[in-house]
Amino acid sequence: MADIDELLSLVRSKGIIRARDLEEFRLTRKNLQKAVDLGLIVRLGRGLYADADVQENPDFFFAQVCKQIPAGVVCLVSALQFHKLGTQTPSEIWIAIPRHSYRPFIDYPPVNLVEFSPAAYELGIQHFDFKQTDIRVYSIEKTVVDCFRFRNQLGMDVALEALKEYLARPGVAVDKLMQYAVRCHISTVIGPYVKALQ
């Protein structure tokens, strides 16, 4: 049981681990399976495990996907959800990847991969720590701009709701929003809405 306690302590500190990480801590896969059988740890996908209790945290799934897709960035409606902007509750996690990059298959959770051009992909990435797992997500301003860029797929109502709620927040950086809009070649679309809603 001492090995399982040590394994649980490791999983709780890291949030999400890979089976191959166990060798570094001199823990065995046999104990990992025992912990899964006891319901202390859950198997997320091939070789990926987490503390059974951590799934209650809403950021857990973002961390899980970012662990499985090292180049992935939480974007669009999932980034809106992360920033608590709007009423969108997507059934899958929206992840940006660089155009023409490898598209990994993930068992769970459901993922919607969106290809971004290199310039748009690099812009506005923020990093948040979730139990030593890096969650990469676009900034709130870049997310609003991206919703206008992808308004044909998401719907103009989603983009406008995001912009309205963003502008209603205290201390927003409209200059930063417009800088992202210029760099993403969408300023002529979003600009009139910003003026009308301010």
Side-chain angles (χ1 to χ4, degrees):
M1 268 318 261
D3 284 347
I4 289 185
D5 289 341
E6 193 177 336
L7 174 62
L8 273 175
S9 176
L10 173 69
V11 173
R12 285 181 179 142
S13 69
K14 289 193 171 290
I16 300 169
I17 62 162
R18 293 185 181 278
R20 65 176 180 235
D21 297 338
L22 296 178
E23 294 169 18
E24 180 185 339
F25 298 94
R26 295 192 176 100
L27 295 166
T28 66
R29 290 175 190 242
K30 180 181 174 186
N31 285 325
L32 184 64
Q33 187 55 53
K34 202 180 286 184
V36 170
D37 293 342
L38 291 169
L40 303 170
I41 292 175
V42 291
R43 182 180 182 271
L44 305 173
R46 217 171 85 198
L48 207 61
Y49 297 84
D51 176 12
D53 297 333
V54 83
Q55 293 182 87
E56 295 170 16
N57 188 310
D59 293 341
F60 166 75
F61 293 106
F62 296 130
Q64 180 185 348
V65 171
C66 286
K67 186 97 168 177
Q68 293 180 83
I69 308 175
V73 182
V74 177
C75 68
L76 298 167
V77 288
S78 291
L80 290 177
Q81 183 183 27
F82 183 87
H83 291 297
K84 296 173 178 50
L85 198 65
T87 57
Q88 302 302 309
T89 51
S91 58
E92 49 194 4
I93 297 178
W94 291 63
I95 296 289
I97 56 172
R99 189 172 291 151
H100 307 302
S101 64
Y102 170 70
R103 297 176 69 88
F105 171 77
I106 295 178
D107 297 338
Y108 187 81
V111 171
N112 185 342
L113 293 174
V114 185
E115 292 187 357
F116 278 35
S117 69
Y121 170 79
E122 294 289 337
L123 206 57
I125 298 174
Q126 294 181 325
H127 299 267
F128 297 89
D129 180 66
F130 177 81
K131 293 183 170 274
Q132 300 179 31
T133 297
D134 182 33
I135 297 177
R136 295 167 304 282
V137 62
Y138 287 114
S139 70
I140 194 167
E141 291 83 9
K142 173 69 166 26
T143 298
V144 171
V145 167
D146 284 340
C147 287
F148 276 86
R149 286 177 54 232
F150 287 85
R151 64 194 180 281
N152 292 337
Q153 289 97 314
L154 303 177
M156 193 61 169
D157 57 326
V158 172
L160 285 172
E161 179 187 45
L163 180 61
K164 283 177 189 172
E165 287 202 17
Y166 170 76
L167 292 172
R169 287 189 175 187
V172 294
V174 177
D175 290 346
K176 194 178 205 180
L177 176 86
M178 290 311 297
Q179 285 171 10
Y180 284 132
V182 168
R183 291 185 65 185
C184 292
H185 311 288
I186 199 80
S187 59
T188 56
V189 175
I190 197 172
Y193 290 105
V194 171
K195 284 181 184 172
L197 293 169
Q198 274 187 307

